[in-house]
Amino acid sequence: MPHFAPVRVRGARGRLHRLVRHRRRLLAAGLVVTAAALVAAGPHSEAGEPDTRRARGHPVAEPVPERQSTRFVAAPVRIADAATVRLLRPGDRIDVVSTGDGGTGGTSVLARGVRVTEVPEPVAGAGAGAAADGALVVVSVPRETAHRLVGAGTTARLAVALC
């Protein structure tokens, strides 16, 4: 067998280095463009004078305002239909609906998706008159909604819808 000189492929190594070098340049250019966009979109003072509290180009760490938490209160609501209240259990979600005066007026939803916290047992000494008055259910609602429920409970008949 005749002796052959080793086969050398020229340029492959050079192409690989060029490709890696261009990727580095592309990544560097992308970082420069991103940094310039962040500086341009950064906070500016309203009056036009330079803002001395912050260095330009650095992330702004402003305090996040605390969100006021909604305070829930337990509101007792007298539902017109006592049999419907017997279906409820603590933890159920209900809509409280006002049916107007004696059912002649329109209906309106007073509270949506409120959680039932307690379903008190009916009073043993109450006769048939108490069943005609409905039954009590305690719901957990925001304070403003509790005020609406109390006001509507004195002037209208209230009903519930299970969610």
Side-chain angles (χ1 to χ4, degrees), residues 16-32:
L16 182 62
H17 283 292
R18 236 179 295 138
L19 182 63
V20 170
R21 192 172 40 227
H22 288 301
R23 280 190 184 171
R24 287 181 187 161
R25 286 181 189 165
L26 183 63
L27 179 63
L31 288 174
V32 167

PDB file of all heavy atoms in Angstrom, residues 16-32:
ATOM      1  N   LEU A  16     -14.872  27.966  12.707  1.00  0.00           N
ATOM      2  CA  LEU A  16     -15.463  27.773  14.031  1.00  0.00           C
ATOM      3  C   LEU A  16     -15.115  28.945  14.946  1.00  0.00           C
ATOM      4  O   LEU A  16     -15.974  29.483  15.644  1.00  0.00           O
ATOM      5  CB  LEU A  16     -14.969  26.453  14.634  1.00  0.00           C
ATOM      6  CG  LEU A  16     -15.545  26.111  16.004  1.00  0.00           C
ATOM      7  CD1 LEU A  16     -17.058  25.959  15.920  1.00  0.00           C
ATOM      8  CD2 LEU A  16     -14.925  24.825  16.522  1.00  0.00           C
ATOM      9  N   HIS A  17     -13.849  29.373  14.915  1.00  0.00           N
ATOM     10  CA  HIS A  17     -13.456  30.509  15.733  1.00  0.00           C
ATOM     11  C   HIS A  17     -14.184  31.780  15.309  1.00  0.00           C
ATOM     12  O   HIS A  17     -14.598  32.586  16.151  1.00  0.00           O
ATOM     13  CB  HIS A  17     -11.934  30.723  15.668  1.00  0.00           C
ATOM     14  CG  HIS A  17     -11.187  29.742  16.507  1.00  0.00           C
ATOM     15  ND1 HIS A  17     -11.253  29.757  17.876  1.00  0.00           N
ATOM     16  CD2 HIS A  17     -10.348  28.716  16.168  1.00  0.00           C
ATOM     17  CE1 HIS A  17     -10.497  28.772  18.356  1.00  0.00           C
ATOM     18  NE2 HIS A  17      -9.932  28.125  17.329  1.00  0.00           N
ATOM     19  N   ARG A  18     -14.345  31.990  13.999  1.00  0.00           N
ATOM     20  CA  ARG A  18     -15.045  33.169  13.509  1.00  0.00           C
ATOM     21  C   ARG A  18     -16.511  33.169  13.957  1.00  0.00           C
ATOM     22  O   ARG A  18     -17.046  34.195  14.359  1.00  0.00           O
ATOM     23  CB  ARG A  18     -14.974  33.212  11.975  1.00  0.00           C
ATOM     24  CG  ARG A  18     -14.378  34.497  11.472  1.00  0.00           C
ATOM     25  CD  ARG A  18     -14.292  34.541   9.959  1.00  0.00           C
ATOM     26  NE  ARG A  18     -13.366  33.501   9.494  1.00  0.00           N
ATOM     27  CZ  ARG A  18     -13.579  32.717   8.442  1.00  0.00           C
ATOM     28  NH1 ARG A  18     -14.666  32.850   7.732  1.00  0.00           N
ATOM     29  NH2 ARG A  18     -12.709  31.799   8.101  1.00  0.00           N
ATOM     30  N   LEU A  19     -17.125  32.004  13.898  1.00  0.00           N
ATOM     31  CA  LEU A  19     -18.526  31.884  14.308  1.00  0.00           C
ATOM     32  C   LEU A  19     -18.684  32.209  15.801  1.00  0.00           C
ATOM     33  O   LEU A  19     -19.573  32.956  16.197  1.00  0.00           O
ATOM     34  CB  LEU A  19     -19.043  30.472  14.014  1.00  0.00           C
ATOM     35  CG  LEU A  19     -20.512  30.212  14.342  1.00  0.00           C
ATOM     36  CD1 LEU A  19     -21.402  31.092  13.493  1.00  0.00           C
ATOM     37  CD2 LEU A  19     -20.845  28.757  14.106  1.00  0.00           C
ATOM     38  N   VAL A  20     -17.784  31.672  16.619  1.00  0.00           N
ATOM     39  CA  VAL A  20     -17.839  31.952  18.057  1.00  0.00           C
ATOM     40  C   VAL A  20     -17.561  33.425  18.317  1.00  0.00           C
ATOM     41  O   VAL A  20     -18.224  34.057  19.133  1.00  0.00           O
ATOM     42  CB  VAL A  20     -16.842  31.051  18.823  1.00  0.00           C
ATOM     43  CG1 VAL A  20     -16.701  31.494  20.265  1.00  0.00           C
ATOM     44  CG2 VAL A  20     -17.284  29.603  18.743  1.00  0.00           C
ATOM     45  N   ARG A  21     -16.634  34.006  17.611  1.00  0.00           N
ATOM     46  CA  ARG A  21     -16.281  35.412  17.792  1.00  0.00           C
ATOM     47  C   ARG A  21     -17.469  36.297  17.410  1.00  0.00           C
ATOM     48  O   ARG A  21     -17.778  37.259  18.087  1.00  0.00           O
ATOM     49  CB  ARG A  21     -15.051  35.736  16.939  1.00  0.00           C
ATOM     50  CG  ARG A  21     -14.434  37.070  17.273  1.00  0.00           C
ATOM     51  CD  ARG A  21     -13.111  37.296  16.567  1.00  0.00           C
ATOM     52  NE  ARG A  21     -13.144  36.809  15.197  1.00  0.00           N
ATOM     53  CZ  ARG A  21     -12.177  36.052  14.644  1.00  0.00           C
ATOM     54  NH1 ARG A  21     -11.128  35.731  15.348  1.00  0.00           N
ATOM     55  NH2 ARG A  21     -12.258  35.663  13.404  1.00  0.00           N
ATOM     56  N   HIS A  22     -18.178  35.964  16.339  1.00  0.00           N
ATOM     57  CA  HIS A  22     -19.339  36.750  15.929  1.00  0.00           C
ATOM     58  C   HIS A  22     -20.499  36.595  16.918  1.00  0.00           C
ATOM     59  O   HIS A  22     -21.251  37.542  17.131  1.00  0.00           O
ATOM     60  CB  HIS A  22     -19.788  36.370  14.519  1.00  0.00           C
ATOM     61  CG  HIS A  22     -18.841  36.844  13.460  1.00  0.00           C
ATOM     62  ND1 HIS A  22     -18.528  38.176  13.297  1.00  0.00           N
ATOM     63  CD2 HIS A  22     -18.137  36.170  12.525  1.00  0.00           C
ATOM     64  CE1 HIS A  22     -17.674  38.314  12.297  1.00  0.00           C
ATOM     65  NE2 HIS A  22     -17.413  37.093  11.804  1.00  0.00           N
ATOM     66  N   ARG A  23     -20.641  35.428  17.507  1.00  0.00           N
ATOM     67  CA  ARG A  23     -21.691  35.257  18.509  1.00  0.00           C
ATOM     68  C   ARG A  23     -21.415  36.147  19.717  1.00  0.00           C
ATOM     69  O   ARG A  23     -22.317  36.729  20.286  1.00  0.00           O
ATOM     70  CB  ARG A  23     -21.783  33.796  18.955  1.00  0.00           C
ATOM     71  CG  ARG A  23     -22.529  32.939  17.988  1.00  0.00           C
ATOM     72  CD  ARG A  23     -22.790  31.595  18.576  1.00  0.00           C
ATOM     73  NE  ARG A  23     -23.436  30.730  17.605  1.00  0.00           N
ATOM     74  CZ  ARG A  23     -23.640  29.454  17.776  1.00  0.00           C
ATOM     75  NH1 ARG A  23     -23.239  28.865  18.878  1.00  0.00           N
ATOM     76  NH2 ARG A  23     -24.229  28.738  16.856  1.00  0.00           N
ATOM     77  N   ARG A  24     -20.167  36.231  20.089  1.00  0.00           N
ATOM     78  CA  ARG A  24     -19.816  37.099  21.206  1.00  0.00           C
ATOM     79  C   ARG A  24     -20.122  38.554  20.867  1.00  0.00           C
ATOM     80  O   ARG A  24     -20.624  39.302  21.692  1.00  0.00           O
ATOM     81  CB  ARG A  24     -18.338  36.938  21.558  1.00  0.00           C
ATOM     82  CG  ARG A  24     -18.021  35.639  22.235  1.00  0.00           C
ATOM     83  CD  ARG A  24     -16.563  35.551  22.565  1.00  0.00           C
ATOM     84  NE  ARG A  24     -16.224  34.227  23.078  1.00  0.00           N
ATOM     85  CZ  ARG A  24     -15.007  33.745  23.120  1.00  0.00           C
ATOM     86  NH1 ARG A  24     -13.991  34.473  22.688  1.00  0.00           N
ATOM     87  NH2 ARG A  24     -14.785  32.547  23.597  1.00  0.00           N
ATOM     88  N   ARG A  25     -19.786  38.953  19.628  1.00  0.00           N
ATOM     89  CA  ARG A  25     -20.071  40.322  19.207  1.00  0.00           C
ATOM     90  C   ARG A  25     -21.582  40.579  19.184  1.00  0.00           C
ATOM     91  O   ARG A  25     -22.044  41.638  19.591  1.00  0.00           O
ATOM     92  CB  ARG A  25     -19.485  40.588  17.819  1.00  0.00           C
ATOM     93  CG  ARG A  25     -18.010  40.748  17.812  1.00  0.00           C
ATOM     94  CD  ARG A  25     -17.511  41.039  16.430  1.00  0.00           C
ATOM     95  NE  ARG A  25     -16.073  40.998  16.385  1.00  0.00           N
ATOM     96  CZ  ARG A  25     -15.361  40.939  15.274  1.00  0.00           C
ATOM     97  NH1 ARG A  25     -15.981  40.902  14.114  1.00  0.00           N
ATOM     98  NH2 ARG A  25     -14.058  40.906  15.322  1.00  0.00           N
ATOM     99  N   LEU A  26     -22.339  39.594  18.706  1.00  0.00           N
ATOM    100  CA  LEU A  26     -23.789  39.729  18.651  1.00  0.00           C
ATOM    101  C   LEU A  26     -24.374  39.842  20.057  1.00  0.00           C
ATOM    102  O   LEU A  26     -25.240  40.676  20.320  1.00  0.00           O
ATOM    103  CB  LEU A  26     -24.400  38.525  17.919  1.00  0.00           C
ATOM    104  CG  LEU A  26     -25.904  38.561  17.712  1.00  0.00           C
ATOM    105  CD1 LEU A  26     -26.297  39.736  16.836  1.00  0.00           C
ATOM    106  CD2 LEU A  26     -26.383  37.266  17.085  1.00  0.00           C
ATOM    107  N   LEU A  27     -23.905  39.034  20.980  1.00  0.00           N
ATOM    108  CA  LEU A  27     -24.369  39.098  22.361  1.00  0.00           C
ATOM    109  C   LEU A  27     -24.003  40.448  22.986  1.00  0.00           C
ATOM    110  O   LEU A  27     -24.823  41.074  23.668  1.00  0.00           O
ATOM    111  CB  LEU A  27     -23.765  37.953  23.178  1.00  0.00           C
ATOM    112  CG  LEU A  27     -24.140  37.903  24.651  1.00  0.00           C
ATOM    113  CD1 LEU A  27     -25.640  37.683  24.803  1.00  0.00           C
ATOM    114  CD2 LEU A  27     -23.380  36.810  25.356  1.00  0.00           C
ATOM    115  N   ALA A  28     -22.781  40.920  22.740  1.00  0.00           N
ATOM    116  CA  ALA A  28     -22.360  42.212  23.278  1.00  0.00           C
ATOM    117  C   ALA A  28     -23.204  43.340  22.704  1.00  0.00           C
ATOM    118  O   ALA A  28     -23.632  44.249  23.430  1.00  0.00           O
ATOM    119  CB  ALA A  28     -20.880  42.450  22.986  1.00  0.00           C
ATOM    120  N   ALA A  29     -23.504  43.301  21.426  1.00  0.00           N
ATOM    121  CA  ALA A  29     -24.335  44.329  20.811  1.00  0.00           C
ATOM    122  C   ALA A  29     -25.750  44.292  21.389  1.00  0.00           C
ATOM    123  O   ALA A  29     -26.354  45.341  21.646  1.00  0.00           O
ATOM    124  CB  ALA A  29     -24.375  44.133  19.298  1.00  0.00           C
ATOM    125  N   GLY A  30     -26.286  43.106  21.620  1.00  0.00           N
ATOM    126  CA  GLY A  30     -27.614  42.988  22.219  1.00  0.00           C
ATOM    127  C   GLY A  30     -27.660  43.565  23.620  1.00  0.00           C
ATOM    128  O   GLY A  30     -28.615  44.231  24.013  1.00  0.00           O
ATOM    129  N   LEU A  31     -26.606  43.327  24.403  1.00  0.00           N
ATOM    130  CA  LEU A  31     -26.541  43.886  25.755  1.00  0.00           C
ATOM    131  C   LEU A  31     -26.452  45.408  25.731  1.00  0.00           C
ATOM    132  O   LEU A  31     -27.071  46.096  26.549  1.00  0.00           O
ATOM    133  CB  LEU A  31     -25.352  43.293  26.513  1.00  0.00           C
ATOM    134  CG  LEU A  31     -25.501  41.827  26.930  1.00  0.00           C
ATOM    135  CD1 LEU A  31     -24.201  41.318  27.530  1.00  0.00           C
ATOM    136  CD2 LEU A  31     -26.635  41.671  27.909  1.00  0.00           C
ATOM    137  N   VAL A  32     -25.707  45.959  24.771  1.00  0.00           N
ATOM    138  CA  VAL A  32     -25.583  47.408  24.653  1.00  0.00           C
ATOM    139  C   VAL A  32     -26.933  48.023  24.302  1.00  0.00           C
ATOM    140  O   VAL A  32     -27.350  49.026  24.891  1.00  0.00           O
ATOM    141  CB  VAL A  32     -24.505  47.785  23.608  1.00  0.00           C
ATOM    142  CG1 VAL A  32     -24.567  49.259  23.245  1.00  0.00           C
ATOM    143  CG2 VAL A  32     -23.124  47.433  24.133  1.00  0.00           C
TER     144      VAL A  32
END
